[in-house]
Amino acid sequence: MSDRRRLQVLQAIVQDYVATSEPVGSKALLDRHQLGVSAATVRNDMAALEDEGLIAAPHTSAGRVPTDAGYRVFVDQLSEIKPLSPPERRAIREFLAGAVDLDDVVERTVRLLAGLTQQVAVMQYPSLTRSAVRHVGLVALGGSRVMIVLIVNTGRVEQRVVDVGRELTSPEGERLLVDLRGRLNALGAGRPFADVAAALPLLSGEFEAADRPVVDLVTTCLAEVVVEEREERVVVAGTSNLARFRGDFPMTIGPVLEALEEHVVLLNLINALSTDLRARALSTDPRTRALEGPEPSSDGVLVRIGQEHEHSGLFSTSMVSTGYGAGSDLVAGLGVLGPTRMDYPTTMAAVRAVATYVSRTLG
């Protein structure tokens, strides 16, 4: 039996099952697809695919449906992701371009992804630990209080107020703040947080002894911002879309909804997917890449199917995700979660396109 033809039969079964949600028989395959072989040959091919665990019969005398392994082979055989149409890409670009800040970008992104795919959209806020400094602002609030404003390359803004124990509204105090602000931006702008945190303690030595206590307090506070461990955030939209696919969940939709409510589960999942993508981007050893789990497409989109998930509540789902960032740096992940009976090519195209425009918006 031809491996090429067998893959064509598997592809046809996946496409038909995704479109109809009905088990697929050999007659339906011949009616809907130009396979160029006899019914007996198709039945033999289906028997072989079943022996390999790529398709299965949901009950006696039924057609066949893809298994998780069958979906995996189908996804891995996608040589390229069909791009979205120009009107679709233009709509994404214009929708995201209207965002006023990072929170708005995230909210618009998950709503957009959920609408495009009719699945559950998930987006991780940019991680501070993988971000870079864009600008540092110092604002005298009156008396001895100073507001430190840290603007991150992803558009994230962090603010802290510190009491420096000295009046800074005088001409001398204003000059000190201007000088310190300039040196902080010269030191930090465009650099990763880890590098900035390491350099900050050295800045005090560049100032007069009388000014060093102020400099030390400001740099200590700023260092705490760039190195602190913080709970990452994930935003979800489109959970109600799962109701459209109740028949795709073997017993109940409950375990999936419970997993979605546990944001730590989603955060761990999307972090793991983003880590896989970054590791593969850096890896040049094919032996190492072979040990890293599901292979991403050539376009950087990664798919986890069924029992490839670590959380049992997601065993009836698939997750399509990719990373996004500012410039060439991935700072977080976004994706779509839905039943394993998913239109993978279309979903992968939507996730890739949205991530691309999010990166451009933040860049």
Side-chain angles (χ1 to χ4, degrees):
M1 177 178 62
S2 165
D3 288 342
R4 180 186 178 94
R5 189 183 68 240
R6 184 176 56 193
L7 287 173
Q8 289 176 331
V9 171
L10 175 62
Q11 181 182 41
I13 292 172
V14 171
Q15 291 171 342
D16 283 4
Y17 183 60
V18 168
T20 68
S21 75
E22 297 292 335
V24 182
S26 58
K27 184 178 185 304
L29 288 178
L30 289 168
D31 290 342
R32 296 169 183 162
H33 303 273
Q34 301 296 321
L35 297 176
V37 295
S38 67
T41 299
V42 171
R43 286 194 293 271
N44 288 337
D45 287 348
M46 292 178 70
L49 290 170
E50 188 169 9
D51 288 342
E52 294 179 13
L54 302 181
I55 61 175
H59 48 80
T60 306
S61 301
R64 301 297 184 265
V65 301
T67 62
D68 288 355
Y71 285 125
R72 168 53 57 199
V73 171
F74 173 80
V75 169
D76 289 348
Q77 290 299 314
L78 294 174
S79 59
E80 61 181 18
I81 302 175
K82 181 181 178 181
L84 298 184
S85 68
E88 289 172 323
R89 296 199 301 272
R90 183 166 57 253
I92 293 172
R93 181 175 64 251
E94 292 174 354
F95 185 70
L96 292 178
V100 297
D101 55 23
L102 178 62
D103 290 336
D104 198 15
V105 170
V106 174
E107 291 294 335
R108 284 171 179 254
T109 298
V110 290
R111 284 164 43 207
L112 179 64
L113 261 181
L116 285 172
T117 64
Q118 295 300 295
Q119 308 282 4
V120 180
V122 182
M123 183 173 181
Q124 177 188 17
Y125 263 79
S127 169
L128 283 176
T129 59
R130 294 195 295 271
S131 300
V133 173
R134 176 176 288 175
H135 180 75
V136 177
L138 299 178
V139 181
L141 298 179
S144 58
R145 295 188 307 148
V146 174
M147 176 184 288
I148 303 170
V149 182
L150 173 65
I151 303 176
V152 185
N153 63 332
T154 60
R156 193 166 181 168
V157 178
E158 296 289 324
Q159 298 179 350
R160 298 289 187 277
V161 175
V162 59
D163 189 328
V164 296
R166 171 178 162 184
E167 173 64 53
L168 294 176
T169 56
S170 64
E172 293 79 7
E174 291 177 357
R175 282 195 294 271
L176 173 58
L177 283 185
V178 170
D179 187 16
L180 179 55
R181 181 168 57 243
R183 290 174 187 260
L184 285 172
N185 282 291
L187 177 151
R191 297 180 66 184
F193 278 13
D195 292 349
V196 174
L200 282 173
L202 305 177
L203 191 60
S204 179
E206 300 179 12
F207 288 83
E208 297 292 333
D211 295 331
R212 288 174 188 170
V214 172
V215 175
D216 286 338
L217 286 168
V218 170
T219 55
T220 298
C221 183
L222 185 59
E224 290 173 354
V225 176
V226 299
V227 302
E228 72 177 335
E229 294 294 329
R230 54 189 298 111
E231 180 183 0
E232 299 292 351
R233 296 171 59 192
V234 61
V235 178
V236 179
T239 303
S240 61
N241 286 329
L242 291 176
R244 300 169 54 245
F245 303 101
R246 285 186 179 275
D248 289 284
F249 301 99
M251 299 296 292
T252 173
I253 202 173
V256 180
L257 295 176
E258 290 173 6
L260 289 174
E261 289 177 358
E262 297 180 39
H263 280 197
V264 66
V265 172
L266 291 177
L267 187 60
N268 289 340
L269 173 61
I270 209 161
N271 268 335
L273 294 169
S274 298
T275 299
D276 283 347
L277 289 169
R278 284 193 300 274
R280 290 177 185 281
L282 296 174
S283 175
T284 58
D285 186 341
R287 294 170 299 178
T288 301
R289 295 171 66 90
L291 296 175
E292 290 173 343
E295 184 74 18
S297 76
S298 58
D299 298 280
V301 178
L302 195 144
V303 182
R304 285 275 168 86
I305 300 170
Q307 296 198 22
E308 292 173 356
H309 293 301
E310 294 183 1
H311 193 284
S312 61
L314 300 177
F315 281 176
S316 58
T317 71
S318 288
M319 178 85 177
V320 177
S321 74
T322 192
Y324 71 90
S328 60
D329 297 324
L330 298 181
V331 296
L334 60 82
V336 164
L337 184 138
T340 54
R341 187 180 66 86
M342 177 186 291
D343 183 349
Y344 291 97
T346 299
T347 303
M348 293 164 73
V351 168
R352 180 189 63 179
V354 170
T356 297
Y357 285 110
V358 168
S359 296
R360 292 177 184 175
T361 299
L362 296 179

